[in-house]
Amino acid sequence: MPKATNYQPKSRRKAAESVRTLIPRAQIQKRIVEMAQEIRRDFPTEHLHLVGVLKGSVFFLADLARQITGQLSLDFIAVSSYGSKTHSSGEVKLTRDLDSSIEGKTVIVVEDILDTGMTLQYLLRVFEQRKPRRLRVAVLLDKPERRLAKVRADYVGFTIPNEFVVGYGLDYSERYRNLADVGVLTLGTKIKKS
Ligand code: IMP
Ligand code: MG
């Protein structure tokens, strides 16, 4: 006879995740226009080389690039630091390098969010060795409370509280990137009634 159990089997549990809007899409777009102007004001005549950090920055980079006037080129780099959890392991690994050299270029690193800063610290070290003419950082979101590494962004879209956010490129286990707004993710485990 099977043993009696006092727990719900995994299949009966349903994760009750929910997302509460933090920054609506219109506000994001408005801020991006301003950021593009700030960047161009700082470098009025220069060819700007935007380096997007995959994958979280793709929507931000696409919208930002289209708001920057004048000459511009794009490249991408990918790092992994988070796995599928909501907390950083602190370990950063380069998983896809740039296509072209950044030597002598005015580089703007485009990141979705500055959290502990470990990713950016790693990237800035890598890029500085490659002798760009100038190296700047643009992030959509900044969570200063979580900072461990001594890094800062030159252009910040929004400073946000210490909460896990998704949407507009930001993911939780690769999900929610396609939301047009940025929202706070709440995780919860609800026991499904049979
Ligand atoms: P950092 O190295 O701790 O600064 O983290 C940078 C990376 O962690 C970001 O590029 C994101 O991919 C991820 N990350 C940090 N905070 C969040 C969040 O609130 N939501 C989703 N991803 C996050
Ligand atoms: Mg990222």
Side-chain angles (χ1 to χ4, degrees), residues 46-47 49 51 97-98 100-109 122-136:
E46 282 177 58
H47 178 119
H49 192 62
V51 170
D97 206 345
L98 299 172
S100 59
S101 165
I102 56 165
E103 193 174 337
K105 294 180 182 170
T106 299
V107 174
I108 316 268
V109 181
Y122 170 83
L123 285 173
L124 291 177
R125 277 191 193 142
V126 169
F127 292 153
E128 266 155 16
Q129 284 166 8
R130 299 181 184 185
K131 305 201 164 50
R133 189 169 121 79
R134 296 183 193 272
L135 187 56
R136 296 288 185 272

Side-chain angles (χ1 to χ4, degrees), residues 53-57 79 81 111-113 119 169-171 177:
V53 184
L54 293 171
K55 295 170 240 177
S57 73
V79 289
S81 59
E111 248 288 47
D112 51 1
I113 186 165
T119 307
L170 290 133
D171 74 307
R177 291 195 196 275

Side-chain angles (χ1 to χ4, degrees), residues 30-62:
K30 187 169 166 261
R31 183 70 190 117
I32 288 174
V33 172
E34 293 168 0
M35 291 178 86
Q37 287 167 353
E38 281 172 42
I39 292 170
R40 201 28 113 194
R41 207 176 301 138
D42 291 347
F43 303 103
T45 56
E46 282 177 58
H47 178 119
L48 299 173
H49 192 62
L50 266 54
V51 170
V53 184
L54 293 171
K55 295 170 240 177
S57 73
V58 289
F59 300 104
F60 175 43
L61 179 123

Side-chain angles (χ1 to χ4, degrees), residues 70-88:
Q71 283 193 20
L72 177 154
S73 50
L74 306 176
D75 204 346
F76 294 92
I77 197 161
V79 289
S80 70
S81 59
Y82 260 62
S84 60
K85 297 180 214 84
T86 53
H87 288 95
S88 173

